[in-house]
């Protein structure tokens, strides 16, 4: 028996809204693919120093292993929404896994730094399509009334990725070989491909509008140029370097041109009319500030343990574990509460926990007791579990079926760009502070600090100066997180009614009951994909 909210062709809401076996099977497939992509990112970050020595190159060049992956993501994400409609999400998901699997195998076989960067780009092309396509399939299966719980199920293993990644990467690099940080994806990818082919529900391609090639030629290169410029700030030593401001301004100009054109033409590559939905816009603004501050600060934590406290990569990964444990405890509860009482009532308490814990890191020192740091990380994880997924639940619960894939692409673009900018901003702040403490140019700050910390005669004084630099950088992150409270106050604090059907959607054009009316999971209006942070 089902109940229906008032509204034209509203999707029925089953009285028993638990996640059934069909949803859990699809969730398992999507989780496998997502873990593969997220583990790969975090494992590679730990291995950059080993790869620098292996290929006898500079850190500036090695960073392209990460930057090339991000550029590929930025290029392919805008196309994903159109491709989901045109070819079907299951086919697109299988293609994404295949590309990622091929890129992983080739990266493990790389013979020089240039080939490794090229194969990372192949991985990025698959990774950029993997998340939106998987999320679209899953939420069409689950239905809009269970978006919060679906995101909670997915969120726990996805938060374990950034914790398990450094631990796994440190062990593989130290005990096996750097090549296995890529080969580890092969068995996971093969299993995900077989399960996806077997378990994912088939969907028919829908009539898609004419592809917006001019829009793609503006937005994809624009995003890539902007991310390239921002990513080069730490290495270049500031925003005045030509390698920073030239691609940055070029990217902004291309993106601005795309926005002007998209508002004037029918069926643009990214549907900017999504931002006429107040809830979607508020959630995206909240998420932008959240990504800049939170992911920027997450870059600082392992660096603090490695640089100031002298821990190994494996030990640093283990020290970050309390954050994931905290998130695991709160995320399932937060997902259910977001469905029942509204995302706003869950996000605000979560942000209070994050702000409270981050205060601890603004006063971090060279000898701060580990129990204090680990307790703060645990509380921060609890806050993240109450914040990250419910923000996206708020954005996507009110959107109709026709806007599913386009909304997923738009949200992914916002997240990837904000996460990249956040990492670069926090890196340049830390580099500038270290450079000021040790009296060297900005791009030599971390090198000078490392050299002073390795010298027994200057270690104690250098540790104090470096720790002070980290504390000041965390203060900036705290300010940005606090800014998130302003848009978060406008998030919905009641569970949303299912959206009305799209009047021009073939799947929703029928009224009444029966096939085609939208009664079944994934067939009616209101199926929309959550978006998971992949930066």
């Amino acid at each position: 028996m089902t109940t229906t909210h008032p509204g034209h062709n509203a999707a029925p809401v089953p009285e028993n809204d638990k996640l059934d076996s069909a949803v859990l099977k699809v969730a398992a497939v999507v989780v496998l693919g997502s873990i593969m992509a997220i583990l790969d990112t975090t494992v590679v970050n730990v291995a950059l120093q080993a790869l620098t020595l292996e290929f006898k190159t500079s850190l500036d060049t090695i960073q392209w292993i990460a930057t090339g992956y991000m550029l590929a993501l930025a290029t392919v994400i805008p196309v994903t929404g159109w491709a989901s409609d045109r070819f079907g999400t299951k086919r697109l998901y299988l293609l994404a896994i295949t590309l990622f699997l091929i890129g992983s195998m080739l990266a493990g076989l790389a013979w020089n730094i240039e080939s490794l960067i090229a194969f990372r780009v192949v991985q990025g092309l698959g990774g950029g399509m993997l998340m939106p396509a998987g999320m679209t399939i899953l939420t069409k299966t689950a239905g809009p009334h269970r978006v919060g719980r679906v995101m909670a199920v997915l969120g726990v293993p996805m938060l374990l990725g950034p914790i398990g990644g450094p631990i796994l990467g440190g062990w593989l690099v130290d005990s096996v070989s750097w090549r296995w940080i890529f080969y580890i994806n092969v068995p996971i990818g093969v299993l995900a491909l077989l399960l996806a082919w077997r378990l994912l529900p088939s969907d028919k391609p829908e009539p898609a509008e004419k592809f917006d090639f001019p829009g793609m030629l503006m937005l994809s290169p624009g995003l890539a140029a902007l991310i390239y410029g921002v990513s080069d700030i730490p290495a270049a030593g500031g925003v005045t370097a030509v390698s920073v401001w030239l691609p940055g301004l070029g990217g902004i100009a291309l993106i601005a041109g795309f926005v002007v054109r998209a508002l004037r033409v029918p069926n643009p590559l990214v549907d900017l009319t999504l931002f006429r939905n107040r809830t979607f816009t508020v959630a995206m603004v909240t998420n932008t500030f959240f990504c800049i501050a939170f992911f920027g600060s997450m870059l600082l934590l392992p660096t603090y343990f490695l640089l100031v406290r002298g821990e190994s990569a494996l030990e640093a990964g283990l020290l970050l574990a309390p954050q994931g444990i905290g998130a695991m405890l709160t995320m399932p509860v937060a997902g259910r509460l977001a469905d029942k009482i509204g995302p706003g009532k869950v996000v605000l308490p979560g942000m209070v926990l994050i702000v409270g814990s981050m205060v601890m890191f603004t006063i971090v020192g060279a000898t701060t007791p580990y129990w204090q740091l680990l307790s703060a990380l645990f509380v921060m994880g609890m806050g993240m579990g109450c914040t990250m997924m419910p923000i996206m639940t708020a954005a996507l619960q009110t959107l109709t079926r026709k806007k599913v894939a386009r909304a997923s692409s738009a949200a992914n673009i916002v997240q990837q760009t904000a996460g990249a900018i956040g990492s670069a901003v926090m890196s340049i702040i830390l580099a500038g502070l270290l450079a000021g403490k040790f009296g060297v140019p900005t791009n030599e700050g971390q090198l000078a600090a490392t050299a002073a910390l390795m010298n027994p005669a200057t270690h104690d004084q250098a540790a104090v100066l470096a720790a002070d630099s980290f504390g000041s950088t965390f203060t900036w992150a705290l300010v940005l997180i606090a800014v998130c409270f302003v848009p978060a106050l406008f998030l919905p604090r009641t569970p949303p009614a299912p959206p009305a059907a799209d009047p021009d959607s073939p799947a929703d054009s029928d009224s009444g009951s029966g096939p085609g009316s939208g009664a079944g999971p994934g067939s009616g209006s209101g199926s929309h994909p959550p978006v998971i942070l992949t930066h």
Side-chain angles (χ1 to χ4, degrees):
M1 181 175 179
T2 61
T3 58
T4 305
H5 290 273
H8 174 63
N9 267 4
V13 179
E15 288 180 356
N16 182 5
D17 56 0
K18 293 182 179 179
L19 298 181
D20 53 35
S21 60
V23 176
L24 292 175
K25 286 178 182 178
V26 175
V29 176
V30 177
V31 164
L32 266 180
S34 301
I35 284 180
M36 181 174 63
I38 294 170
L39 267 180
D40 184 77
T41 302
T42 53
V43 166
V44 167
N45 288 341
V46 172
L48 290 180
Q49 182 62 28
L51 292 170
T52 302
L53 299 174
E54 171 72 21
F55 293 113
K56 298 179 176 60
T57 186
S58 67
L59 186 60
D60 292 350
T61 302
I62 282 293
Q63 288 290 351
W64 274 97
I65 296 173
T67 303
Y69 184 84
M70 290 167 56
L71 293 179
L73 284 179
T75 301
V76 77
I77 285 173
V79 183
T80 306
W82 175 85
S84 294
D85 291 339
R86 177 64 181 82
F87 303 108
T89 47
K90 179 175 181 177
R91 290 190 183 118
L92 192 67
Y93 192 73
L94 292 172
L95 173 63
I97 295 177
T98 302
L99 276 176
F100 196 90
L101 192 56
I102 292 172
S104 297
M105 289 188 290
L106 292 175
L109 296 169
W111 53 91
N112 57 28
I113 187 61
E114 291 81 11
S115 63
L116 180 55
I117 292 170
F119 298 144
R120 283 285 287 166
V121 169
V122 176
Q123 277 188 307
L125 294 175
M129 295 185 290
L130 199 60
M131 195 67 70
M135 294 301 138
T136 301
I137 294 171
L138 179 55
T139 47
K140 282 182 178 179
T141 305
H145 54 288
R146 297 184 289 190
V147 169
R149 261 151 294 179
V150 164
M151 294 172 84
V153 169
L154 292 175
V156 171
M158 289 175 187
L159 281 172
L160 288 176
I163 299 163
I167 298 172
L168 178 63
W171 178 76
L172 288 173
V173 170
D174 292 342
S175 305
V176 190
S177 165
W178 67 266
R179 296 184 184 276
W180 276 93
I181 64 176
F182 301 108
Y183 289 151
I184 195 69
N185 292 323
V186 175
I188 300 175
V190 169
L191 180 61
L193 192 63
L194 292 173
L195 290 178
W197 176 72
R198 188 74 181 264
L199 298 179
L200 292 185
S202 297
D203 58 335
K204 295 180 180 179
E206 298 179 1
E209 300 90 355
K210 183 179 179 182
F211 184 64
D212 182 15
F213 278 107
M216 185 192 72
L217 294 176
M218 297 172 76
L219 184 58
S220 291
L223 288 170
L226 177 61
I227 291 175
Y228 171 80
V230 171
S231 299
D232 198 49
I233 290 175
V239 295
T240 57
V242 176
S243 62
V244 173
W245 66 260
L246 185 60
L249 287 179
I252 291 172
L254 285 170
I255 294 170
F258 170 81
V259 170
V260 171
R261 180 180 179 277
L263 293 172
R264 297 179 178 177
V265 301
N267 306 318
L269 187 66
V270 175
D271 185 5
L272 298 183
T273 62
L274 289 166
F275 291 93
R276 294 175 184 169
N277 181 304
R278 176 183 175 276
T279 303
F280 181 82
T281 301
V282 168
M284 287 298 96
V285 172
T286 307
N287 204 44
T288 298
F289 284 108
F290 182 82
C291 286
I292 291 174
F294 194 81
F295 282 90
S297 63
M298 288 306 96
L299 182 73
L300 303 176
L301 287 169
T303 309
Y304 166 80
F305 287 126
L306 293 165
L307 184 65
V308 178
R309 306 305 286 261
E311 304 289 354
S312 68
L314 178 58
E315 290 166 337
L318 289 169
L319 287 167
L320 294 175
Q323 186 182 51
I325 295 171
M328 287 175 61
L329 293 177
T330 57
M331 188 169 282
V333 178
R336 189 169 187 86
L337 287 176
D339 287 338
K340 295 293 184 183
I341 64 176
K345 292 180 180 177
V346 181
V347 170
L348 288 171
M351 290 178 60
V352 170
L353 292 175
I354 293 175
V355 168
S357 61
M358 197 166 286
V359 169
M360 174 69 236
F361 292 102
T362 64
I363 57 173
V364 72
T367 58
T368 303
Y370 274 129
W371 71 265
Q372 293 181 12
L373 297 175
L374 299 184
S375 298
L377 280 171
F378 178 75
V379 174
M380 186 180 289
M382 293 178 68
M384 187 177 180
C386 294
T387 306
M388 186 173 72
M389 299 300 182
I391 288 175
M392 297 316 303
T393 299
L396 298 161
Q397 275 182 332
T398 59
L399 298 179
T400 56
R401 182 177 188 270
K402 188 173 177 62
K403 294 183 180 292
V404 167
R406 300 297 174 89
S408 179
S409 294
N412 266 286
I413 291 168
V414 169
Q415 290 172 335
Q416 292 294 335
T417 305
I421 290 173
S423 297
V425 166
M426 293 302 160
S427 295
I428 193 60
I429 291 173
L430 177 62
L433 289 168
L434 287 172
K437 298 286 186 184
F438 291 91
V440 296
T442 302
N443 60 342
E444 297 177 13
Q446 189 165 340
L447 293 174
T450 302
L453 285 163
M454 292 180 66
N455 185 344
T458 58
H459 175 272
D460 291 346
Q461 183 182 4
V464 172
L465 294 174
D468 186 59
S469 299
F470 276 92
S472 299
T473 308
F474 276 114
T475 301
W476 282 97
L478 176 63
V479 170
L480 287 171
I481 285 286
V483 170
C484 289
F485 276 98
V486 177
L489 288 171
F490 297 93
L491 291 172
R493 301 184 194 180
T494 56
D502 294 299
D504 56 346
S505 173
D508 299 324
S509 59
D510 298 323
S511 60
S513 60
S517 65
S523 61
S525 65
S527 300
H528 21 261
V531 183
I532 306 300
L533 301 169
T534 60
H535 179 259

